[in-house]
Amino acid sequence: ESKKFFIGFTVGKTKFSVTEDSISEDLPLYFQLEDSSVNYGVEFGYYFTKNIFATLNYQFSDMKHISFNHAFSTLNYKFDGVYSISPYIGLVGGYGIMSWKKSPIGFATAGHSTATLFGGIQLGTEMAINGKLSTYIFYRYIKTDYASDVSLDADTKKIGYNTDQNANIGIKYNF
């Protein structure tokens, strides 16, 4: 009897693309914008067939001044493996929230959040440890559209986080 359900835990590195556009005057930022962080994730999944599986995921990325919370699902195709190693490819779609912990201009907008729908792809490989446990590594590319307008008096700056790239490792328990 094959195991249909699984739960997984991941940790990895996230690299963001960051944009800054001055709308009016050149508004200086209070601190340097960060573009990478460690991320942590949990997923719950189901195998429809031995090759097709879907997941529901939550991923948290925390930086000094900003945090990201992503809730998403994936639909994946796992290729037949060789020596207990099985590569897979998948589509990603979900919803995310970016929250400022500290204002980038030193005044208003602290605690400000912005949300976006997003989509992407992932590539990975899974290696069976035994009948119930496996480990996996993956790369995930997500196209986001986080945009914050920060302003002070008449000066405004648009700050965007537009893509999110992850390199992760995880462990999966099949049941």
Side-chain angles (χ1 to χ4, degrees), residues 46-66:
Y46 179 77
Y47 278 92
F48 296 102
T49 70
K50 77 173 194 150
N51 298 96
I52 298 174
F53 68 96
T55 65
L56 295 175
N57 304 64
Y58 170 75
Q59 182 176 298
F60 177 70
S61 300
D62 190 32
M63 295 188 282
K64 188 174 182 180
H65 305 293
I66 302 172

Side-chain angles (χ1 to χ4, degrees), residues 139-158:
Y139 165 80
R140 185 179 290 142
Y141 175 87
I142 298 173
K143 176 67 176 118
T144 61
D145 192 22
Y146 292 112
S148 290
D149 289 338
V150 293
S151 55
L152 179 62
D153 299 326
D155 298 334
T156 303
K157 183 173 286 231
K158 183 178 284 292

Side-chain angles (χ1 to χ4, degrees), residues 80-133:
D80 292 332
V82 177
Y83 301 111
S84 299
I85 298 174
S86 303
Y88 63 90
I89 187 169
L91 298 174
V92 178
Y95 179 78
I97 298 173
M98 177 184 82
S99 300
W100 290 97
K101 294 190 263 181
K102 185 174 184 180
S103 170
I105 57 171
F107 295 104
T109 72
H112 172 75
S113 294
T114 184
T116 188
L117 294 173
F118 61 80
I121 60 169
Q122 66 181 13
L123 303 167
T125 189
E126 181 178 339
M127 184 175 79
I129 297 171
N130 61 36
K132 291 192 176 210
L133 284 177

